[in-house]
Amino acid sequence: MQPPSLAPDRYRVLSGSALKVLAVISMLIDHTSKFVLAHYPEFVEPWFTMGTIDVSPYWLCVSVGRLAFPIFCFLLVEGFMYTHNRRAYGLSLLAFALISEPIFDLTRKLTVFDITYQNVFFTLLISYLGLCALEGLRDRPVLRACAVLGLALVSMGSLCDYGPRGYAMVLMLYVLRDYPLEKTALGTCITQATWRAGLAFIPINLYNGRRGFIQGRVLKYAFYAFYPLHLYVLWRVRVHLGF
């Protein structure tokens, strides 16, 4: 079932699988530029200045990388809407958050334990619990509000990637799912990356409501596993190059 969109139906050509591939490629470009290529001076040296922005290969790659997180948030909401087992969905997020954390710390700080910052799977897990609270406690408004606000505080205090901005993004995409203009405008404003992250709402509005080729447990978990696996590869590259 297609969610409402700003795009005419004939232009809605991207399946959920296509969005996943786009988000994964965007994330890979972003992390490769931050963890490896940023160590090369020629990569961060500006080509030219555009207003207050120094445009460099690094800036361009990070700009492409801004597409990933809003798309992942959108896919999380779609997954929440259509999963047959919400408990299993949440446990999968928790499992990959725990699996990814030491690899995330290795990639960022070259240590297996760093409590100062947690990987994005924890943000998605907290946001998923917020969706469960919004829907599951619909008939208990006071408890619902307390749960949503409590999880917002958790997202602020847990020092996760994207943190409260990510939590707000997911809940906004759920609440405004049937309001594409408001969803696009507010989603662009939530993230600090402003218009660069707002570009993610172009492919989001081209979503056709179909699952696509990523189906079944193997491909589903392969999609999840790409996050820790690509971080591991980037860590090995950092170690090999001496960064």
Side-chain angles (χ1 to χ4, degrees), residues 87-103 119-122 124-126 128 220-221 224-225 227-228:
R87 184 173 181 272
Y89 198 123
L91 289 175
S92 296
L93 292 173
L94 174 60
F96 278 94
L98 296 174
I99 292 169
S100 302
E101 187 57 24
I103 305 170
N119 73 80
V120 74
F121 263 111
F122 283 107
L124 296 176
L125 173 61
I126 295 168
Y128 183 80
K220 172 187 173 182
Y221 290 120
Y224 285 172
Y227 181 75

PDB file of all heavy atoms in Angstrom, residues 87-103 119-122 124-126 128 220-221 224-225 227-228:
ATOM      1  N   ARG A  87       7.787  -7.811  18.208  1.00  0.00           N
ATOM      2  CA  ARG A  87       8.749  -8.173  19.255  1.00  0.00           C
ATOM      3  C   ARG A  87      10.060  -8.651  18.614  1.00  0.00           C
ATOM      4  O   ARG A  87      11.152  -8.247  19.033  1.00  0.00           O
ATOM      5  CB  ARG A  87       8.161  -9.253  20.156  1.00  0.00           C
ATOM      6  CG  ARG A  87       9.049  -9.643  21.333  1.00  0.00           C
ATOM      7  CD  ARG A  87       8.300 -10.588  22.259  1.00  0.00           C
ATOM      8  NE  ARG A  87       9.119 -10.971  23.411  1.00  0.00           N
ATOM      9  CZ  ARG A  87       9.952 -12.005  23.438  1.00  0.00           C
ATOM     10  NH1 ARG A  87      10.063 -12.771  22.359  1.00  0.00           N
ATOM     11  NH2 ARG A  87      10.659 -12.269  24.519  1.00  0.00           N
ATOM     12  N   ALA A  88       9.950  -9.500  17.602  1.00  0.00           N
ATOM     13  CA  ALA A  88      11.141  -9.999  16.922  1.00  0.00           C
ATOM     14  C   ALA A  88      11.880  -8.871  16.208  1.00  0.00           C
ATOM     15  O   ALA A  88      13.119  -8.850  16.172  1.00  0.00           O
ATOM     16  CB  ALA A  88      10.754 -11.084  15.922  1.00  0.00           C
ATOM     17  N   TYR A  89      11.137  -7.932  15.660  1.00  0.00           N
ATOM     18  CA  TYR A  89      11.736  -6.779  14.988  1.00  0.00           C
ATOM     19  C   TYR A  89      12.593  -5.988  15.979  1.00  0.00           C
ATOM     20  O   TYR A  89      13.745  -5.634  15.701  1.00  0.00           O
ATOM     21  CB  TYR A  89      10.623  -5.898  14.409  1.00  0.00           C
ATOM     22  CG  TYR A  89      11.061  -4.914  13.341  1.00  0.00           C
ATOM     23  CD1 TYR A  89      10.482  -4.924  12.081  1.00  0.00           C
ATOM     24  CD2 TYR A  89      12.027  -3.945  13.606  1.00  0.00           C
ATOM     25  CE1 TYR A  89      10.860  -4.019  11.102  1.00  0.00           C
ATOM     26  CE2 TYR A  89      12.406  -3.026  12.635  1.00  0.00           C
ATOM     27  CZ  TYR A  89      11.813  -3.071  11.391  1.00  0.00           C
ATOM     28  OH  TYR A  89      12.186  -2.167  10.427  1.00  0.00           O
ATOM     29  N   GLY A  90      12.021  -5.713  17.155  1.00  0.00           N
ATOM     30  CA  GLY A  90      12.752  -4.979  18.179  1.00  0.00           C
ATOM     31  C   GLY A  90      13.977  -5.729  18.673  1.00  0.00           C
ATOM     32  O   GLY A  90      15.046  -5.135  18.885  1.00  0.00           O
ATOM     33  N   LEU A  91      13.844  -7.035  18.845  1.00  0.00           N
ATOM     34  CA  LEU A  91      14.985  -7.833  19.299  1.00  0.00           C
ATOM     35  C   LEU A  91      16.092  -7.861  18.250  1.00  0.00           C
ATOM     36  O   LEU A  91      17.277  -7.903  18.595  1.00  0.00           O
ATOM     37  CB  LEU A  91      14.522  -9.257  19.623  1.00  0.00           C
ATOM     38  CG  LEU A  91      13.649  -9.397  20.885  1.00  0.00           C
ATOM     39  CD1 LEU A  91      13.151 -10.831  21.032  1.00  0.00           C
ATOM     40  CD2 LEU A  91      14.436  -8.975  22.134  1.00  0.00           C
ATOM     41  N   SER A  92      15.725  -7.837  16.976  1.00  0.00           N
ATOM     42  CA  SER A  92      16.736  -7.781  15.918  1.00  0.00           C
ATOM     43  C   SER A  92      17.524  -6.474  15.991  1.00  0.00           C
ATOM     44  O   SER A  92      18.751  -6.470  15.844  1.00  0.00           O
ATOM     45  CB  SER A  92      16.067  -7.906  14.546  1.00  0.00           C
ATOM     46  OG  SER A  92      15.444  -9.160  14.390  1.00  0.00           O
ATOM     47  N   LEU A  93      16.824  -5.373  16.222  1.00  0.00           N
ATOM     48  CA  LEU A  93      17.505  -4.087  16.365  1.00  0.00           C
ATOM     49  C   LEU A  93      18.459  -4.108  17.563  1.00  0.00           C
ATOM     50  O   LEU A  93      19.598  -3.614  17.486  1.00  0.00           O
ATOM     51  CB  LEU A  93      16.484  -2.961  16.521  1.00  0.00           C
ATOM     52  CG  LEU A  93      15.621  -2.650  15.294  1.00  0.00           C
ATOM     53  CD1 LEU A  93      14.540  -1.639  15.663  1.00  0.00           C
ATOM     54  CD2 LEU A  93      16.469  -2.106  14.156  1.00  0.00           C
ATOM     55  N   LEU A  94      17.994  -4.682  18.678  1.00  0.00           N
ATOM     56  CA  LEU A  94      18.833  -4.771  19.877  1.00  0.00           C
ATOM     57  C   LEU A  94      20.067  -5.634  19.614  1.00  0.00           C
ATOM     58  O   LEU A  94      21.193  -5.266  19.994  1.00  0.00           O
ATOM     59  CB  LEU A  94      18.031  -5.352  21.038  1.00  0.00           C
ATOM     60  CG  LEU A  94      18.813  -5.641  22.329  1.00  0.00           C
ATOM     61  CD1 LEU A  94      19.436  -4.367  22.882  1.00  0.00           C
ATOM     62  CD2 LEU A  94      17.906  -6.307  23.361  1.00  0.00           C
ATOM     63  N   ALA A  95      19.877  -6.775  18.955  1.00  0.00           N
ATOM     64  CA  ALA A  95      20.996  -7.687  18.687  1.00  0.00           C
ATOM     65  C   ALA A  95      22.057  -7.013  17.833  1.00  0.00           C
ATOM     66  O   ALA A  95      23.264  -7.088  18.143  1.00  0.00           O
ATOM     67  CB  ALA A  95      20.482  -8.951  17.999  1.00  0.00           C
ATOM     68  N   PHE A  96      21.639  -6.321  16.780  1.00  0.00           N
ATOM     69  CA  PHE A  96      22.624  -5.685  15.904  1.00  0.00           C
ATOM     70  C   PHE A  96      23.230  -4.438  16.537  1.00  0.00           C
ATOM     71  O   PHE A  96      24.372  -4.069  16.210  1.00  0.00           O
ATOM     72  CB  PHE A  96      22.016  -5.384  14.540  1.00  0.00           C
ATOM     73  CG  PHE A  96      22.007  -6.577  13.628  1.00  0.00           C
ATOM     74  CD1 PHE A  96      20.891  -7.397  13.544  1.00  0.00           C
ATOM     75  CD2 PHE A  96      23.134  -6.906  12.887  1.00  0.00           C
ATOM     76  CE1 PHE A  96      20.888  -8.516  12.724  1.00  0.00           C
ATOM     77  CE2 PHE A  96      23.138  -8.020  12.061  1.00  0.00           C
ATOM     78  CZ  PHE A  96      22.020  -8.837  11.981  1.00  0.00           C
ATOM     79  N   ALA A  97      22.503  -3.801  17.453  1.00  0.00           N
ATOM     80  CA  ALA A  97      23.096  -2.695  18.199  1.00  0.00           C
ATOM     81  C   ALA A  97      24.253  -3.203  19.057  1.00  0.00           C
ATOM     82  O   ALA A  97      25.332  -2.594  19.097  1.00  0.00           O
ATOM     83  CB  ALA A  97      22.037  -2.017  19.071  1.00  0.00           C
ATOM     84  N   LEU A  98      24.046  -4.323  19.724  1.00  0.00           N
ATOM     85  CA  LEU A  98      25.086  -4.894  20.584  1.00  0.00           C
ATOM     86  C   LEU A  98      26.253  -5.445  19.768  1.00  0.00           C
ATOM     87  O   LEU A  98      27.423  -5.278  20.135  1.00  0.00           O
ATOM     88  CB  LEU A  98      24.488  -5.994  21.456  1.00  0.00           C
ATOM     89  CG  LEU A  98      23.422  -5.538  22.469  1.00  0.00           C
ATOM     90  CD1 LEU A  98      22.796  -6.744  23.164  1.00  0.00           C
ATOM     91  CD2 LEU A  98      24.006  -4.564  23.489  1.00  0.00           C
ATOM     92  N   ILE A  99      25.944  -6.101  18.648  1.00  0.00           N
ATOM     93  CA  ILE A  99      26.999  -6.639  17.790  1.00  0.00           C
ATOM     94  C   ILE A  99      27.847  -5.521  17.199  1.00  0.00           C
ATOM     95  O   ILE A  99      29.082  -5.623  17.109  1.00  0.00           O
ATOM     96  CB  ILE A  99      26.378  -7.492  16.661  1.00  0.00           C
ATOM     97  CG1 ILE A  99      25.754  -8.779  17.222  1.00  0.00           C
ATOM     98  CG2 ILE A  99      27.427  -7.835  15.587  1.00  0.00           C
ATOM     99  CD1 ILE A  99      24.906  -9.526  16.222  1.00  0.00           C
ATOM    100  N   SER A 100      27.195  -4.442  16.817  1.00  0.00           N
ATOM    101  CA  SER A 100      27.885  -3.359  16.113  1.00  0.00           C
ATOM    102  C   SER A 100      28.720  -2.477  17.025  1.00  0.00           C
ATOM    103  O   SER A 100      29.674  -1.840  16.554  1.00  0.00           O
ATOM    104  CB  SER A 100      26.857  -2.482  15.376  1.00  0.00           C
ATOM    105  OG  SER A 100      26.100  -3.225  14.459  1.00  0.00           O
ATOM    106  N   GLU A 101      28.387  -2.422  18.320  1.00  0.00           N
ATOM    107  CA  GLU A 101      29.005  -1.429  19.192  1.00  0.00           C
ATOM    108  C   GLU A 101      30.526  -1.546  19.292  1.00  0.00           C
ATOM    109  O   GLU A 101      31.239  -0.536  19.114  1.00  0.00           O
ATOM    110  CB  GLU A 101      28.372  -1.478  20.582  1.00  0.00           C
ATOM    111  CG  GLU A 101      28.846  -0.365  21.517  1.00  0.00           C
ATOM    112  CD  GLU A 101      28.613   1.025  20.963  1.00  0.00           C
ATOM    113  OE1 GLU A 101      27.712   1.210  20.117  1.00  0.00           O
ATOM    114  OE2 GLU A 101      29.355   1.946  21.365  1.00  0.00           O
ATOM    115  N   PRO A 102      31.104  -2.728  19.582  1.00  0.00           N
ATOM    116  CA  PRO A 102      32.575  -2.775  19.649  1.00  0.00           C
ATOM    117  C   PRO A 102      33.241  -2.449  18.323  1.00  0.00           C
ATOM    118  O   PRO A 102      34.317  -1.837  18.293  1.00  0.00           O
ATOM    119  CB  PRO A 102      32.864  -4.213  20.096  1.00  0.00           C
ATOM    120  CG  PRO A 102      31.628  -4.984  19.790  1.00  0.00           C
ATOM    121  CD  PRO A 102      30.493  -4.021  19.928  1.00  0.00           C
ATOM    122  N   ILE A 103      32.613  -2.836  17.207  1.00  0.00           N
ATOM    123  CA  ILE A 103      33.182  -2.528  15.894  1.00  0.00           C
ATOM    124  C   ILE A 103      33.070  -1.029  15.617  1.00  0.00           C
ATOM    125  O   ILE A 103      33.993  -0.407  15.064  1.00  0.00           O
ATOM    126  CB  ILE A 103      32.470  -3.347  14.803  1.00  0.00           C
ATOM    127  CG1 ILE A 103      32.522  -4.841  15.139  1.00  0.00           C
ATOM    128  CG2 ILE A 103      33.096  -3.090  13.436  1.00  0.00           C
ATOM    129  CD1 ILE A 103      31.670  -5.708  14.264  1.00  0.00           C
ATOM    130  N   ASN A 119      26.458   3.502  18.653  1.00  0.00           N
ATOM    131  CA  ASN A 119      26.125   3.393  17.231  1.00  0.00           C
ATOM    132  C   ASN A 119      24.651   3.660  16.953  1.00  0.00           C
ATOM    133  O   ASN A 119      23.812   3.664  17.848  1.00  0.00           O
ATOM    134  CB  ASN A 119      26.553   2.021  16.689  1.00  0.00           C
ATOM    135  CG  ASN A 119      25.666   0.893  17.174  1.00  0.00           C
ATOM    136  OD1 ASN A 119      24.568   0.661  16.654  1.00  0.00           O
ATOM    137  ND2 ASN A 119      26.139   0.168  18.188  1.00  0.00           N
ATOM    138  N   VAL A 120      24.348   3.847  15.682  1.00  0.00           N
ATOM    139  CA  VAL A 120      23.027   4.304  15.263  1.00  0.00           C
ATOM    140  C   VAL A 120      21.932   3.260  15.504  1.00  0.00           C
ATOM    141  O   VAL A 120      20.751   3.610  15.609  1.00  0.00           O
ATOM    142  CB  VAL A 120      23.067   4.722  13.782  1.00  0.00           C
ATOM    143  CG1 VAL A 120      23.135   3.491  12.874  1.00  0.00           C
ATOM    144  CG2 VAL A 120      21.893   5.608  13.415  1.00  0.00           C
ATOM    145  N   PHE A 121      22.293   1.979  15.623  1.00  0.00           N
ATOM    146  CA  PHE A 121      21.272   0.968  15.890  1.00  0.00           C
ATOM    147  C   PHE A 121      20.575   1.232  17.231  1.00  0.00           C
ATOM    148  O   PHE A 121      19.396   0.921  17.395  1.00  0.00           O
ATOM    149  CB  PHE A 121      21.871  -0.433  15.877  1.00  0.00           C
ATOM    150  CG  PHE A 121      21.710  -1.156  14.577  1.00  0.00           C
ATOM    151  CD1 PHE A 121      22.801  -1.428  13.770  1.00  0.00           C
ATOM    152  CD2 PHE A 121      20.457  -1.571  14.142  1.00  0.00           C
ATOM    153  CE1 PHE A 121      22.657  -2.094  12.576  1.00  0.00           C
ATOM    154  CE2 PHE A 121      20.296  -2.240  12.943  1.00  0.00           C
ATOM    155  CZ  PHE A 121      21.401  -2.505  12.150  1.00  0.00           C
ATOM    156  N   PHE A 122      21.301   1.793  18.202  1.00  0.00           N
ATOM    157  CA  PHE A 122      20.669   2.128  19.475  1.00  0.00           C
ATOM    158  C   PHE A 122      19.637   3.248  19.294  1.00  0.00           C
ATOM    159  O   PHE A 122      18.573   3.228  19.906  1.00  0.00           O
ATOM    160  CB  PHE A 122      21.724   2.534  20.506  1.00  0.00           C
ATOM    161  CG  PHE A 122      22.471   1.384  21.100  1.00  0.00           C
ATOM    162  CD1 PHE A 122      23.792   1.132  20.743  1.00  0.00           C
ATOM    163  CD2 PHE A 122      21.856   0.531  22.013  1.00  0.00           C
ATOM    164  CE1 PHE A 122      24.486   0.056  21.291  1.00  0.00           C
ATOM    165  CE2 PHE A 122      22.538  -0.551  22.565  1.00  0.00           C
ATOM    166  CZ  PHE A 122      23.855  -0.783  22.204  1.00  0.00           C
ATOM    167  N   LEU A 124      17.932   3.789  16.530  1.00  0.00           N
ATOM    168  CA  LEU A 124      16.794   3.175  15.857  1.00  0.00           C
ATOM    169  C   LEU A 124      15.977   2.315  16.825  1.00  0.00           C
ATOM    170  O   LEU A 124      14.740   2.288  16.748  1.00  0.00           O
ATOM    171  CB  LEU A 124      17.280   2.331  14.676  1.00  0.00           C
ATOM    172  CG  LEU A 124      17.974   3.108  13.546  1.00  0.00           C
ATOM    173  CD1 LEU A 124      18.485   2.142  12.475  1.00  0.00           C
ATOM    174  CD2 LEU A 124      17.029   4.138  12.937  1.00  0.00           C
ATOM    175  N   LEU A 125      16.647   1.641  17.751  1.00  0.00           N
ATOM    176  CA  LEU A 125      15.942   0.821  18.740  1.00  0.00           C
ATOM    177  C   LEU A 125      15.093   1.694  19.664  1.00  0.00           C
ATOM    178  O   LEU A 125      13.914   1.390  19.899  1.00  0.00           O
ATOM    179  CB  LEU A 125      16.942   0.018  19.555  1.00  0.00           C
ATOM    180  CG  LEU A 125      16.370  -0.776  20.749  1.00  0.00           C
ATOM    181  CD1 LEU A 125      15.360  -1.814  20.281  1.00  0.00           C
ATOM    182  CD2 LEU A 125      17.493  -1.429  21.548  1.00  0.00           C
ATOM    183  N   ILE A 126      15.665   2.764  20.188  1.00  0.00           N
ATOM    184  CA  ILE A 126      14.910   3.670  21.066  1.00  0.00           C
ATOM    185  C   ILE A 126      13.736   4.268  20.304  1.00  0.00           C
ATOM    186  O   ILE A 126      12.618   4.386  20.834  1.00  0.00           O
ATOM    187  CB  ILE A 126      15.835   4.771  21.614  1.00  0.00           C
ATOM    188  CG1 ILE A 126      16.911   4.163  22.520  1.00  0.00           C
ATOM    189  CG2 ILE A 126      15.042   5.826  22.373  1.00  0.00           C
ATOM    190  CD1 ILE A 126      18.034   5.118  22.861  1.00  0.00           C
ATOM    191  N   TYR A 128      12.209   2.920  17.754  1.00  0.00           N
ATOM    192  CA  TYR A 128      11.235   1.846  17.549  1.00  0.00           C
ATOM    193  C   TYR A 128      10.362   1.664  18.787  1.00  0.00           C
ATOM    194  O   TYR A 128       9.136   1.484  18.681  1.00  0.00           O
ATOM    195  CB  TYR A 128      11.972   0.549  17.211  1.00  0.00           C
ATOM    196  CG  TYR A 128      11.065  -0.616  16.916  1.00  0.00           C
ATOM    197  CD1 TYR A 128      10.469  -0.752  15.671  1.00  0.00           C
ATOM    198  CD2 TYR A 128      10.802  -1.591  17.882  1.00  0.00           C
ATOM    199  CE1 TYR A 128       9.629  -1.827  15.394  1.00  0.00           C
ATOM    200  CE2 TYR A 128       9.969  -2.662  17.613  1.00  0.00           C
ATOM    201  CZ  TYR A 128       9.387  -2.772  16.361  1.00  0.00           C
ATOM    202  OH  TYR A 128       8.550  -3.827  16.093  1.00  0.00           O
ATOM    203  N   LYS A 220      17.232 -10.014   4.574  1.00  0.00           N
ATOM    204  CA  LYS A 220      16.891  -9.040   5.608  1.00  0.00           C
ATOM    205  C   LYS A 220      18.046  -8.855   6.579  1.00  0.00           C
ATOM    206  O   LYS A 220      18.463  -7.721   6.867  1.00  0.00           O
ATOM    207  CB  LYS A 220      15.642  -9.508   6.364  1.00  0.00           C
ATOM    208  CG  LYS A 220      15.314  -8.665   7.596  1.00  0.00           C
ATOM    209  CD  LYS A 220      14.189  -9.280   8.390  1.00  0.00           C
ATOM    210  CE  LYS A 220      13.958  -8.551   9.701  1.00  0.00           C
ATOM    211  NZ  LYS A 220      12.877  -9.178  10.513  1.00  0.00           N
ATOM    212  N   TYR A 221      18.597  -9.954   7.066  1.00  0.00           N
ATOM    213  CA  TYR A 221      19.676  -9.844   8.032  1.00  0.00           C
ATOM    214  C   TYR A 221      20.999  -9.472   7.364  1.00  0.00           C
ATOM    215  O   TYR A 221      21.874  -8.887   8.008  1.00  0.00           O
ATOM    216  CB  TYR A 221      19.806 -11.141   8.829  1.00  0.00           C
ATOM    217  CG  TYR A 221      18.644 -11.340   9.774  1.00  0.00           C
ATOM    218  CD1 TYR A 221      17.812 -12.453   9.682  1.00  0.00           C
ATOM    219  CD2 TYR A 221      18.356 -10.393  10.751  1.00  0.00           C
ATOM    220  CE1 TYR A 221      16.736 -12.618  10.544  1.00  0.00           C
ATOM    221  CE2 TYR A 221      17.284 -10.550  11.617  1.00  0.00           C
ATOM    222  CZ  TYR A 221      16.477 -11.672  11.503  1.00  0.00           C
ATOM    223  OH  TYR A 221      15.414 -11.827  12.352  1.00  0.00           O
ATOM    224  N   TYR A 224      20.956  -5.767   7.528  1.00  0.00           N
ATOM    225  CA  TYR A 224      21.364  -5.322   8.862  1.00  0.00           C
ATOM    226  C   TYR A 224      22.870  -5.505   9.075  1.00  0.00           C
ATOM    227  O   TYR A 224      23.549  -4.642   9.643  1.00  0.00           O
ATOM    228  CB  TYR A 224      20.627  -6.120   9.942  1.00  0.00           C
ATOM    229  CG  TYR A 224      19.186  -5.766  10.147  1.00  0.00           C
ATOM    230  CD1 TYR A 224      18.374  -6.537  10.985  1.00  0.00           C
ATOM    231  CD2 TYR A 224      18.601  -4.667   9.524  1.00  0.00           C
ATOM    232  CE1 TYR A 224      17.040  -6.222  11.195  1.00  0.00           C
ATOM    233  CE2 TYR A 224      17.271  -4.347   9.718  1.00  0.00           C
ATOM    234  CZ  TYR A 224      16.489  -5.132  10.561  1.00  0.00           C
ATOM    235  OH  TYR A 224      15.176  -4.814  10.765  1.00  0.00           O
ATOM    236  N   ALA A 225      23.375  -6.658   8.629  1.00  0.00           N
ATOM    237  CA  ALA A 225      24.774  -7.002   8.892  1.00  0.00           C
ATOM    238  C   ALA A 225      25.750  -6.116   8.127  1.00  0.00           C
ATOM    239  O   ALA A 225      26.926  -6.024   8.507  1.00  0.00           O
ATOM    240  CB  ALA A 225      25.024  -8.464   8.537  1.00  0.00           C
ATOM    241  N   TYR A 227      26.013  -3.036   8.172  1.00  0.00           N
ATOM    242  CA  TYR A 227      26.494  -1.952   9.027  1.00  0.00           C
ATOM    243  C   TYR A 227      27.752  -2.356   9.800  1.00  0.00           C
ATOM    244  O   TYR A 227      28.808  -1.718   9.640  1.00  0.00           O
ATOM    245  CB  TYR A 227      25.374  -1.491   9.962  1.00  0.00           C
ATOM    246  CG  TYR A 227      25.765  -0.356  10.874  1.00  0.00           C
ATOM    247  CD1 TYR A 227      25.873   0.942  10.389  1.00  0.00           C
ATOM    248  CD2 TYR A 227      26.025  -0.572  12.225  1.00  0.00           C
ATOM    249  CE1 TYR A 227      26.237   1.991  11.217  1.00  0.00           C
ATOM    250  CE2 TYR A 227      26.387   0.463  13.055  1.00  0.00           C
ATOM    251  CZ  TYR A 227      26.493   1.753  12.554  1.00  0.00           C
ATOM    252  OH  TYR A 227      26.855   2.782  13.384  1.00  0.00           O
ATOM    253  N   PRO A 228      27.708  -3.402  10.633  1.00  0.00           N
ATOM    254  CA  PRO A 228      28.949  -3.770  11.329  1.00  0.00           C
ATOM    255  C   PRO A 228      30.043  -4.274  10.393  1.00  0.00           C
ATOM    256  O   PRO A 228      31.227  -4.036  10.635  1.00  0.00           O
ATOM    257  CB  PRO A 228      28.506  -4.860  12.306  1.00  0.00           C
ATOM    258  CG  PRO A 228      27.246  -5.410  11.748  1.00  0.00           C
ATOM    259  CD  PRO A 228      26.575  -4.256  11.069  1.00  0.00           C
TER     260      PRO A 228
END
